[in-house]
Amino acid sequence: MKQEDTFFQYFSRRGVSRRAFLRFCAVTASAMALPAGAGQALAAALTAAPRPSVLWLSFQECTGCSESLTRSGEPTIEGLMLDHLSLDYHHLLQAAAGEAAEEVRLSAMAENAGSYVLVVDGSVPTGAQAAWSTIAGVSNLQMLTEMVDGAALVIAVGTCASFGGLPAAAAICAESLSQSGATGVGELMDTGVVATRPLVNIPGCPPLPEVISGTIAYFLAYGAVPEMDALRRPTAWFGKTVHDGCPRRHHFTKGHFALAYDDAEASRGYCLYKLGCRGPETYNACPSLKWNLGTSFPMHSGHGCLGCSMPGFWDRALAADASGFTGSGFYPDAPPMK
């Protein structure tokens, strides 16, 4: 993509019609509960918005977040935007490697100081264990510290980058994972380890691609982060629980529960709450956006919510944190997660 291209010019060259572009803006504005007419304002702003430099850092992660994003569907606006965002620096997708890759990163930082978007994927090992994850001999923590300074916006993609995720688990693999001091970006900012910059957490294991594209679009159009909750998540997509939008909710209200994944009640689409579904305590847009181009999400497929977008995911011992998240405490009769 040419540096002087606006988003719309880029989309046009990829075969996206103006009608499709306007529809994307209208849907994004609607999803974010923006005022009437905001879709047109968003379209006007994006039409003139220059290409931002986006640097994507992969730390303690499994590549699942990037895999999810690259499979958001083509030729959707989301797919094109995410493809566009990966161009400057992205370990998984960039053509350069080794010293050449690091030269690209350093050059992009210098040329776009104060204006680039920094995407962080994966948790950051800290303390004496900071060397557990390095890139070109530089620890994740050191690289993050250097790159946050010049960022206009930081996006923590996935639960690992947002809250520590699996690498921060204390009870699953106590002999290895819990020893890395894995930490989310927000905690590092809050404790003064790295500089404070506008931060948006987009948790999920993996996160929904449309949430990332919508967040980027909002930032480009308005020069600010969208409305967020106490955990720095966009309220437009994390303002309701998975339970709120679940198609099985009417069975919950009626007291209709499946007691085994292969019983008669499960085949009738009964509520999976007593099988450990965490939908009532998990905030995410899975029921509305769904996965695979809006095809399905876990409850449609017969499995309960795992609570992957919440703090303490993978480790219930970490759930009772400063955010007030207390796991199954919202529903005292909920069975323990296994």
Side-chain angles (χ1 to χ4, degrees), residues 281-333:
E281 63 194 40
T282 300
Y283 290 80
N284 211 338
C286 299
S288 57
L289 293 179
K290 302 184 178 67
W291 294 90
N292 300 320
L293 299 179
T295 301
S296 182
F297 79 110
M299 276 64 107
H300 273 155
S301 303
H303 197 286
C305 172
L306 295 176
C308 74
S309 59
M310 297 301 290
F313 176 56
W314 286 109
D315 188 352
R316 305 300 282 176
L318 298 179
D321 61 8
S323 69
F325 174 66
T326 56
S328 298
F330 287 100
Y331 289 80
D333 59 335

Side-chain angles (χ1 to χ4, degrees), residues 247-290:
R248 298 172 183 258
R249 182 174 177 176
H250 64 287
H251 286 299
F252 177 91
T253 303
K254 295 178 180 179
H256 297 162
F257 299 100
L259 300 180
Y261 284 112
D262 58 354
D263 66 11
E265 287 72 21
S267 67
R268 297 190 186 102
Y270 279 16
C271 179
L272 302 171
Y273 176 62
K274 291 190 176 181
L275 289 174
C277 177
R278 297 181 185 176
E281 63 194 40
T282 300
Y283 290 80
N284 211 338
C286 299
S288 57
L289 293 179
K290 302 184 178 67

Side-chain angles (χ1 to χ4, degrees), residues 192-245:
V193 176
V194 301
T196 299
R197 294 291 183 270
L199 170 67
V200 178
N201 285 330
I202 303 180
C205 191
L208 289 156
E210 294 82 359
V211 178
I212 298 177
S213 63
T215 299
I216 292 287
Y218 185 94
F219 178 75
L220 291 175
Y222 299 104
V225 297
E227 179 183 350
M228 297 187 291
D229 64 13
L231 297 181
R232 296 188 176 100
R233 301 174 299 188
T235 55
W237 294 287
F238 295 93
K240 295 182 179 180
T241 66
V242 172
H243 180 71
D244 289 333

Side-chain angles (χ1 to χ4, degrees), residues 55-245:
L55 306 178
W56 185 298
L57 298 178
S58 298
F59 291 157
Q60 279 189 309
E61 44 81 32
C62 66
T63 310
C65 295
S66 292
E67 291 284 350
S68 173
L69 300 179
T70 58
R71 285 157 176 73
S72 60
E74 295 285 0
T76 63
I77 294 283
E78 292 83 1
L80 292 174
M81 183 177 287
L82 292 168
D83 176 56
H84 152 60
L85 294 180
S86 71
L87 292 181
D88 284 350
Y89 185 79
H90 189 300
H91 294 170
L92 178 67
L93 302 177
Q94 65 192 12
E99 293 181 358
E102 291 311 295
E103 289 176 1
V104 170
R105 178 178 67 85
L106 295 174
S107 176
M109 288 175 58
E111 294 174 5
N112 301 281
S115 64
Y116 58 79
V117 176
L118 181 63
V119 179
V120 181
D121 177 10
S123 62
V124 184
T126 59
Q129 292 75 32
W132 280 32
S133 180
T134 65
I135 301 169
V138 179
S139 73
N140 294 169
L141 181 58
Q142 181 181 344
M143 185 171 289
L144 178 66
T145 301
E146 294 171 352
M147 297 186 69
V148 163
D149 282 342
L153 171 67
V154 181
I155 301 178
V157 170
T159 300
C160 291
S162 297
F163 308 125
L166 177 59
I172 296 177
C173 190
E175 295 303 317
S176 58
L177 295 179
S178 64
Q179 296 179 6
S180 73
T183 307
V185 177
E187 183 176 345
L188 293 174
M189 286 188 182
D190 292 341
T191 55
V193 176
V194 301
T196 299
R197 294 291 183 270
L199 170 67
V200 178
N201 285 330
I202 303 180
C205 191
L208 289 156
E210 294 82 359
V211 178
I212 298 177
S213 63
T215 299
I216 292 287
Y218 185 94
F219 178 75
L220 291 175
Y222 299 104
V225 297
E227 179 183 350
M228 297 187 291
D229 64 13
L231 297 181
R232 296 188 176 100
R233 301 174 299 188
T235 55
W237 294 287
F238 295 93
K240 295 182 179 180
T241 66
V242 172
H243 180 71
D244 289 333

